[in-house]
Amino acid sequence: MEKLSPMMKQYQEVKEKYQDALVMFRLGDFYELFFDDAKIASLELDLVLTGRPAGESGRAPMCGVPHHAIAGYVQKLVDNGHKVAIVEQMEDPSVAVGLVKRDVVKVVTPGTILDEVSDDKNSVRIASLSVFAGKMFLVFCELAGGETQVLVFDAKVSLLKQHILKFNIRELVLPSDFPENILLRLRDFGRAMISFCDDATLSDEAIQRLGNIDDPLKRSTYGRLLRYLESTQRRSLLHLKPVQDDNRHQILEMDYSTLQNLELTQSLRTNSKSETLFRFLDTCHTAMGSRLLRNWIEQPLRDKTLITLRQDRIAVLVKDILLRDGLANTLKGCYDLERLIAKSAFGSANPQDCLRLRRTLNAVPILQEALSEHKIYTELISVDGCEHLRKTLENALSENPPAFLKDGNVIREGYNQELDELRTIQHSGKQWILEFENQEKERTGIKNLKVGYNRVFGYYIEISKGNVSFVKEEFEYVRKQTLANAERYITPLLKEKEDAILHAEERALRLETRLFLELIEDINGHIAKIQRIGAMISEVDVLLALAEKSQQAGYVRPTFHDGEALDIVEGRHPILEKHTKYVSNSCKISEETPILLITGPNMGGKSTYMRQVALNVILAQMGCWVPAQKASFPLIDKIFTRMGASDDIMQGQSTFMVEMTEANLALSNATKQSMVFFDEIGRGTSTYDGMALAQAIVEYIATVIGCKTLFSTHYHELTQLDQSLSQVKNLHVEVHEEGDDVHFLYRVKHGRSDRSYGVNVARLAKLPDAVLVRAKHLLKELESKKRVVQQTMEIVEMVRVPKHLETIDEQLKRVDVDNTTPLEALRYLSEWKKLQK
């Protein structure tokens, strides 16, 4: 340190406090990185690595980025798994004495990225995790919007991974004594940065946000998250909303695999043009509306009253095209209030953000007026429109303020008398300069004389070299600067006026800054009300988007009942019918036959049919209309899927292992109210193994779980199960044969199929004729020798251990008696007593 220059010492002092972050150090118009940070950043950002004198120790490796372009660079570093500490100049370099004071203003991490986020329609979350008495307590927060939620689940790393993926948790905050075995598996998983914090104390404000959540583990986990956010953001967290307790009993649960398999928000194929349900439905006019829509897709409702309320609100919009058009036009003028409020609370809002807030507040009474005639919307639109704040913004902000406060003209004329007077001095001063230039031309006779200004010399008189000889002593011109083709002068009168003009400009900017900060303070005093306005606008936006789809021809309002039967008449795949002529199919699942066993060739439409049914269930429980002639549903509590075939290379799992893991998730967690979609289970292993597993799974679902199941298979032997299991019903996809050619009709009919048409499909794929002829010959030989699996269809009686006893048994196996604290033991006993009840 002694050998470093003063500036490098200042950098090194910051770096010692933030050793796990890349330090971006503000120097003038650049943010610079030094030493190892520079080497890392130069590679990650493709920057030239140079050097800077560092005192006696020689030159320090260095790279830098322009201050106005920092957001993109920071996002790239964070996306690559780095933390970035932003160091700003804490005083004006022009008035600083000695070394400019600098300090860290925030630490940007994968879970706290806000200003730098590029996709406003997506949500990035940070979470705090605690493990205690066989349970995991996860509290996750979307910093940009302020939503915070609690989840409690069995202490299984597989479940934790599912939640990390599903909620896009990019960073986990753990205590330093976190169990090492789980920590190692999380590091190997690599989807979330690991950070540590041991301070979990709660402020009075944090306790208020927790409301009725009194579980000490939930509270301490939330406290740790808040303390970490405070230490990294170093800014106000006023915009954080009240904490939501675990609400999974109110929603249709889907794990991450199901979200992926059904392509609800993300395509299975990277860079694929295939459309997701989110992209199909997203005609929202605001980014916050799009984020809410994504949330509705990922977490449909399970409460019939709430679904009906949504349906009734959508029905109003479906019937009234003029209302839809009016709302759409108003929403186009609304901005992302959630992000605006976060920036305001953080102190990073600019004048343009305030202008967007003003325009959005202007839209509130228009939306309220448009929907006021419909009682079903009364509760939704009953929000305080912040009329006083809207008028303040109207009076204070100029019509089109600049993006940066330092550019001036942010505050409207007439808002502050002192500011108006200073501006008058500025304007009259500039007018005086013009008049002074004309007077000097007349007085000196030098026609090309010019009055200019720069930051170094202030105002000056510039005369070309050819006219310098005309300058006389009585003009009182004092030479200030010599250029190649001109001389620059000043006069006592010009300097006197300059002082008045520049002081007025400086004072005006200082006053304007103070007035703007008062405006931000006023906005921050209305945060809760503005968040409620944002929630109202978001919901209207999503309801309008769903109404746009629901009003299309061929969509029908589904009904719900308390039974178990599901009936879709001539249903269609909502996305595929947009791009191709789609064949509609019905789906009828009765309480007596909850399992539909679907057979037929590849490319025949089995998987598409299953996805069609799943998407219609999700749309219905979102409150949306469905593409069908008629649809009647029970309330589904969970959806599980096993579709597609791909190795999980990152986790070293084969296709078959992924199959079995996803199947286990369904068999372990499904209830009678759940719905399971299994597409060709068992194909990842040998024929005998695959068929045996497939049959055992069907039997288990039929005799133990009893949930609604669509099970497609190429094991035609399984179609005999309907003779021994009354819960099984056979379906097949229709195929038309003409010699060796097959035509897929994409119609699902009752009954079984006894052929897979594999060789015929291979012919469509244009395999070499020699291969097709040989395959056909071998097929006949195998069929003639009856070398197919002969299975008995005897059903072994299956008894399921009650769920609560299974849970207690699992936890007992995991309890380390020697290392269990008395408090943990009491928690286990308390949990087991609840399960027993």
Side-chain angles (χ1 to χ4, degrees), residues 189-231:
F189 184 51
R191 294 299 290 264
M193 174 179 276
I194 306 295
S195 300
F196 294 94
C197 178
D198 287 320
D199 187 357
T201 53
L202 289 164
S203 64
D204 291 340
E205 190 182 321
I207 290 170
Q208 279 188 328
R209 287 200 207 101
L210 282 163
N212 296 324
I213 300 175
D214 54 9
D215 187 308
L217 264 300
K218 293 177 182 177
R219 292 167 78 92
S220 64
T221 308
Y222 178 59
R224 185 186 314 116
L225 178 62
L226 272 188
R227 289 301 181 196
Y228 178 77
L229 289 175
E230 287 166 1
S231 69

Side-chain angles (χ1 to χ4, degrees), residues 516-633:
F516 181 74
L517 292 177
E518 287 174 2
L519 207 57
I520 294 295
E521 200 174 320
D522 198 1
I523 292 169
N524 288 344
H526 291 78
I527 279 180
K529 290 179 180 178
I530 296 171
Q531 285 175 333
R532 284 192 282 273
I533 291 170
M536 181 269 284
I537 292 173
S538 302
E539 188 157 346
V540 171
D541 201 5
V542 178
L543 291 169
L544 183 62
L546 296 183
E548 289 290 344
K549 295 297 178 190
S550 299
Q551 57 83 33
Q552 295 180 79
Y555 275 66
V556 65
R557 175 174 175 166
T559 58
F560 288 89
H561 55 81
D562 296 326
E564 297 295 332
L566 181 149
D567 190 10
I568 302 172
V569 178
E570 296 301 321
R572 306 183 306 282
H573 192 295
I575 301 168
L576 286 183
E577 71 168 345
K578 257 182 70 178
H579 306 288
T580 183
K581 188 177 178 182
Y582 190 78
V583 177
S584 61
N585 279 297
S586 298
C587 179
K588 189 177 183 66
I589 302 176
S590 66
E591 188 169 358
E592 295 75 28
T593 55
I595 300 174
L596 302 183
L597 197 65
I598 311 165
T599 48
N602 282 321
M603 294 175 60
K606 300 191 299 297
S607 300
T608 304
Y609 174 70
M610 292 167 74
R611 282 190 168 88
Q612 166 200 312
V613 175
L615 290 178
N616 281 338
V617 170
I618 291 164
L619 282 173
Q621 291 196 207
M622 284 172 62
C624 188
W625 281 205
V626 297
Q629 288 182 12
K630 183 183 175 184
S632 175
F633 296 98

Side-chain angles (χ1 to χ4, degrees), residues 50 103 135 272 426 439 474 520 554-555 568 585 611 638 658:
T50 60
D103 199 3
K135 293 287 181 184
S272 167
Q426 283 179 261
Q439 288 167 6
E474 61 262 29
I520 294 295
Y555 275 66
I568 302 172
N585 279 297
R611 282 190 168 88
K638 300 171 187 173
V658 174

